[in-house]
Amino acid sequence: MDESQLSDRQRQVLEAIRRLKQENDMPPTLREIAEAVGLKSVASAKYQIDQLKNMGWLDQIDNVSRGISFSDQGSRHQQEQEAAAESNVHIGKFVRVPLVGRIAAGGPILAEQNIDEWMTLPESLVGKGDIFLLKVKGDSMIDAAICEDDMVAVRIQKTAENGDIVAALLDDSATVKTFKQRDGHTWLLPRNSNYEPILGDEAQIMGKVVAVLRSL
Amino acid sequence: MDESQLSDRQRQVLEAIRRLKQENDMPPTLREIAEAVGLKSVASAKYQIDQLKNMGWLDQIDNVSRGISFSDQGSRHQQEQEAAAESNVHIGKFVRVPLVGRIAAGGPILAEQNIDEWMTLPESLVGKGDIFLLKVKGDSMIDAAICEDDMVAVRIQKTAENGDIVAALLDDSATVKTFKQRDGHTWLLPRNSNYEPILGDEAQIMGKVVAVLRSL
DNA sequence: TAAATAAGCGAACAGATGTTCGAAACAGAT
DNA sequence: ATCTGTTTCGAACATCTGTTCGCTTATTTA
């Protein structure tokens, strides 16, 4: 899904849709699009729309007037463009981060088959760096106010400092714990009195937890 | 331009237009409005629209599908009534939400002078609706895994159900508590054994907490 | 060069949408 | 009860809108 795959005409159509939608506060009709980009036939406009639909840039509700909308991928592009263009209001940058599902030991943390979905988050929330999202299993960090099913944003780094909350790979599964080094050993401390500290010498540190997200 | 001039049906129509427009990202058709408010004839819907048009609440482009929009006056009223409902700019699958700082009792919850900054969040995180962000003060909700300085996303609504975590206006300051109605009284329950339940009969419910964000 | 593909055009069609009209139901005032 | 204004309904109509089809033109490929 690269913008370079778009022809001039297709770029023109996308930009026209964005502009007309903003001007009129509703998506344009095929004929409005045709006129905006200089096409003399409605069918030509529909042809372009169908192309962009197949490429995943647009969604359209069939047989519904003005039923054109940007798809997830398309709107993300639009969003980033608008955010960059709208300089009078401070919006900041965005980071597109993968939500990692299955964890495979040994292999690279991030692999395409492990990624469930993508989410775009403001950089003010997760900071800079290589970030991925992990869904929390269990309640071992409840005293650190991290619950089951929370999503944690993890900045990839191989080590950590005492007290950092980290995501670590242990026995083929990812876990979130407090990092502590003492007496030459690495400990992964749960924050729940029902659990015992784990000796983490063999654990692989995936990164540091930099944000917590919870949907209720 | 007083709301008291509006009949129940007219209020119903305005609310339906606002809701449908937000849900579908485009203004509704007359038939969609008719169905939404329980009118069985398109002509009835048009009759109501014409009334509201003559009263200055709505604008409409003739013979254009989905050509209904709020007039300046209508939008302004909408803003006052819904506590800046129109302030949230929906861009694709993202929602631009204001971070509310100071809270003034009595006045509208959201006012420009109260907004510190804006943040754009994915709709998958906060859901649909009119959302604002609030920074949590104190540790009274620590057992609900909500810490001091966390940001909570609040969906504006005037009431709540038992067990919901809500943001409420109490004594000129905003507070986050668990909502509970019992014996004809409204209680705002902290989730920290060091605090006592608060009788919330006089409190104004700002909305329901739908997400928690924490930067570490 | 010839075939294949992409892009555009015009026309016709079906469905969606806004508009208009007359009649009926309803509530309040006389 | 009668009148009057408001609101709703159903139907018909005109326009707008999306869809489909055949055809042409330009570009690319064999």
Side-chain angles (χ1 to χ4, degrees), chain B residues 131-168:
Chain B
I131 311 282
F132 65 90
L133 293 176
L134 199 60
K135 192 158 229 171
V136 174
K137 305 295 179 189
D139 60 349
S140 67
M141 292 298 283
I142 191 66
D143 286 346
I146 299 176
C147 314
E148 176 144 31
D149 289 332
D150 281 4
M151 283 188 300
V152 290
V154 180
R155 185 180 63 218
I156 296 178
Q157 54 188 51
K158 292 191 175 62
T159 182
E161 299 182 8
N162 277 346
D164 284 352
I165 298 179
V166 299

Side-chain angles (χ1 to χ4, degrees), chain A residues 73-90:
Chain A
Q73 291 149 354
S75 54
R76 180 155 47 245
H77 176 74
Q78 290 296 126
Q79 164 70 27
E80 288 159 3
Q81 269 205 341
E82 288 192 12
E86 205 171 348
S87 56
N88 57 332
V89 185
H90 179 266

Side-chain angles (χ1 to χ4, degrees), chain B residues 7 20 35 40 58 67 71 76 87 104 106 115 125 136 148 180 182 188 190 192 216:
Chain B
S7 67
L20 290 170
E35 186 184 16
K40 295 170 185 173
L58 294 176
S71 67
R76 184 158 51 246
S87 294
I115 295 173
L125 197 61
V136 174
E148 176 144 31
K180 180 150 199 176
R182 187 171 178 177
L188 298 174
N192 181 333
L216 299 178

Side-chain angles (χ1 to χ4, degrees), chain B residues 58-93:
Chain B
L58 294 176
D59 287 335
Q60 188 194 26
I61 315 170
D62 282 1
N63 293 316
V64 166
S65 69
R66 307 179 186 275
I68 299 174
S69 61
F70 289 99
S71 67
D72 287 351
Q73 294 162 350
S75 302
R76 184 158 51 246
H77 180 271
Q78 205 79 10
Q79 198 162 8
E80 293 163 3
Q81 275 308 111
E82 301 295 329
E86 304 297 324
S87 294
N88 287 348
V89 180
H90 293 258
I91 307 171
K93 302 281 186 175

Side-chain angles (χ1 to χ4, degrees), chain B residues 30-31 33-35 37-48:
Chain B
L30 289 178
R31 284 166 180 82
I33 296 172
E35 186 184 16
V37 300
L39 285 171
K40 295 170 185 173
S41 169
V42 204
S44 305
K46 177 171 172 53
Y47 174 81
Q48 294 293 346

